Amino acid sequence: MQSIALLPVKPRQMSVRLASCPTEIEAAQRLRWAIFYGDMGARPLGGDERDIDPYDAVCDHLLVEDCASGIPQIVGTYRLLRQSVAEARQGFYSASEFDLACFSGRGGETLELGRSCVAPDYRDSGTIQLLWRGIAAYLRQHRISTLFGCASFHGICPDEHADTLSYLWHNHVAPPELRARALDDRYVDMARLPLGSYDPRQAMRRLPPLIKAYLRVGAQVGDGAVIDHQFNTVDVFIVMPVAAISERYLGRFGAAA
């Protein structure tokens, strides 16, 4: 039997940092396009193959790069918007879906996380940990007290996610002072199934990986979901007080920051 020669696996040289120029932000926008529009079925509003909106100009863009080829390749990204920046400009992206009044007047700086995506070949724990290490460093630098943002289920039919939405509502709802509510004209009830009518362990397994990751560090959800027709998603509000994030996760993600 003839042996098959296996090609050596090229080692990765991974790093995380903030984008420092428009060219790097454009590369992140092209990665977002490939994931959101190419893979997830979002509806493009323009011809350029970049995911762009007005918030990109005022946000910081966290990048994970692989430099193994000698030319840095952006393989993961997060968009970061601080409260002090949002209040001086056009507000938070999440405010288009959720009422953020509960965050008004709270002490400390809040941070909106958004536009998270990772290239398919890099969807592993190493890349995710690098993203979180970058976030951990950002939290310390800017003295962030609370993280929040939208997290998504693929598809625009809430009934297809009835058990997972109900699981989140019954087990991970935020306290009233942190419970942002979906806007009235977009509100979708999350408590679609009563307790006892679904398997909570199966519902937990069916959660999107990003939402699972948020729950592991102590995240909670707001009141109501929102259908985002452009991005082909059902969105829920996620909130994470930094003081409540598990110390073991802060240590793990912050150690190498």
Side-chain angles (χ1 to χ4, degrees), residues 34-232:
I35 304 303
F36 301 145
Y37 295 84
D39 296 345
M40 306 299 291
R43 297 190 305 174
L45 300 180
D48 190 8
E49 292 189 352
R50 289 190 289 161
D51 171 47
I52 305 174
D53 71 15
Y55 293 89
D56 280 330
V58 299
C59 289
D60 287 322
H61 298 262
L62 190 66
L63 310 176
V64 170
E65 296 176 311
D66 184 356
C67 302
S69 68
I71 300 175
Q73 178 187 2
I74 294 174
V75 299
T77 186
Y78 245 115
R79 193 168 75 174
L80 313 177
L81 179 57
R82 283 176 282 132
Q83 178 182 359
S84 55
V85 176
E87 289 177 346
R89 307 298 285 267
Q90 62 259 54
F92 288 112
Y93 174 86
S94 301
S96 64
E97 297 188 351
F98 295 91
D99 182 352
L100 305 182
C102 61
F103 292 97
S104 298
R106 291 185 61 84
E109 179 90 293
T110 61
L111 176 68
E112 181 183 61
L113 301 176
R115 290 301 203 272
S116 171
C117 68
V118 175
D121 291 343
Y122 290 82
R123 290 175 187 167
D124 53 40
S125 60
T127 306
I128 300 303
Q129 287 188 17
L130 274 175
L131 283 169
W132 276 96
R133 286 170 184 169
I135 291 171
Y138 196 90
L139 297 182
R140 289 196 298 272
Q141 178 183 354
H142 295 286
R143 301 177 183 270
I144 304 298
S145 65
T146 306
L147 303 168
F148 69 87
C150 299
S152 302
F153 294 83
H154 183 54
I156 59 174
C157 180
D159 288 340
E160 293 180 358
H161 308 292
D163 60 339
T164 48
L165 290 171
S166 300
Y167 169 81
L168 290 175
W169 176 255
H170 291 138
N171 294 278
H172 296 284
V173 68
E177 65 272 17
L178 294 173
R179 194 183 303 168
R181 188 180 191 276
L183 299 178
D184 289 343
D185 60 345
R186 307 190 70 178
Y187 185 94
V188 174
D189 188 7
M190 294 176 65
R192 310 188 72 75
L193 298 174
L195 278 170
S197 66
Y198 62 93
D199 183 343
R201 290 175 297 181
Q202 180 65 23
M204 183 173 63
R205 284 194 290 267
R206 292 186 60 233
L207 287 170
L210 182 61
I211 294 180
K212 286 182 185 177
Y214 286 152
L215 296 181
R216 289 191 194 104
V217 299
Q220 297 172 302
V221 299
D223 179 7
V226 170
I227 297 173
D228 188 332
H229 291 277
Q230 181 191 350
F231 280 90
N232 191 34

Side-chain angles (χ1 to χ4, degrees), residues 4-18:
I4 300 175
L6 298 178
L7 294 175
V9 177
K10 182 183 295 185
R12 295 176 177 177
Q13 297 179 15
M14 307 287 286
S15 62
V16 62
R17 63 181 178 85
L18 293 178

Side-chain angles (χ1 to χ4, degrees), residues 11-31:
R12 295 176 177 177
Q13 297 179 15
M14 307 287 286
S15 62
V16 62
R17 63 181 178 85
L18 293 178
S20 60
C21 67
T23 299
E24 294 173 348
I25 295 174
E26 179 178 328
Q29 292 168 336
R30 294 194 182 281
L31 175 62

